[in-house]
Amino acid sequence: QVQLVESGGGLVQAGDSLRLSCAASGRTFSTFAMGWFRQAPGKEREFVASISGGGGTTEYADPVKGRFTISRDNARRTVYLQMNSLLPEDTAVYYCATRDGFQVRTHSNDYSYWGQGTQVTVSS
């Protein structure tokens, strides 16, 4: 059974940085793409970033391009989201997800397994 456990969320001020981690278990990690999504109160879940199984391809949502970086350590079975220059509008619950495929995807329907989420709050 695939399990994803996020960590690293918290309360920070605008301009600060945070690094989220997602530890995976239950199947061969390096075979499958990983993604980060977020959901703010009253809004739909939205794509943030995705990385291919080998780590060679990444994709970002426009609002986070140049500020966030997704990476993965296949030996540690962990995917990261480095978030710099945080803005109040980045406040959301951040979810890690994995899909049954190697390539990056940006739609939540393409992902089969989800973590429980970690709260990120950015104060102005």
Side-chain angles (χ1 to χ4, degrees):
Q1 183 177 357
V2 177
Q3 289 189 322
L4 303 172
V5 180
E6 302 99 332
S7 61
L11 171 63
V12 297
Q13 293 185 332
D16 286 350
S17 298
L18 273 178
R19 188 176 80 158
L20 306 183
S21 300
C22 173
S25 61
R27 67 178 184 181
T28 303
F29 181 72
S30 61
T31 304
F32 305 103
M34 302 291 295
W36 286 98
F37 290 76
R38 67 186 182 185
Q39 187 167 20
K43 295 186 177 181
E44 294 186 352
R45 189 172 299 188
E46 65 176 4
F47 170 74
V48 175
S50 179
I51 187 166
S52 61
T57 303
T58 57
E59 184 78 30
Y60 296 93
D62 285 343
V64 307
K65 282 182 181 177
R67 299 188 298 122
F68 291 12
T69 302
I70 188 171
S71 62
R72 64 190 298 159
D73 184 338
N74 286 344
R76 297 181 182 273
R77 305 172 62 87
T78 301
V79 63
Y80 304 98
L81 185 68
Q82 178 66 43
M83 306 185 294
N84 298 329
S85 302
L86 282 162
L87 303 169
E89 48 263 46
D90 294 319
T91 295
V93 177
Y94 283 71
Y95 296 91
C96 171
T98 186
R99 57 181 303 268
D100 293 326
F102 188 83
Q103 299 300 331
V104 299
R105 291 289 187 271
T106 62
H107 201 287
S108 59
N109 286 348
D110 291 316
Y111 290 80
S112 302
Y113 305 97
W114 294 81
Q116 82 289 347
T118 185
Q119 176 71 46
V120 172
T121 303
V122 185
S123 64
S124 58

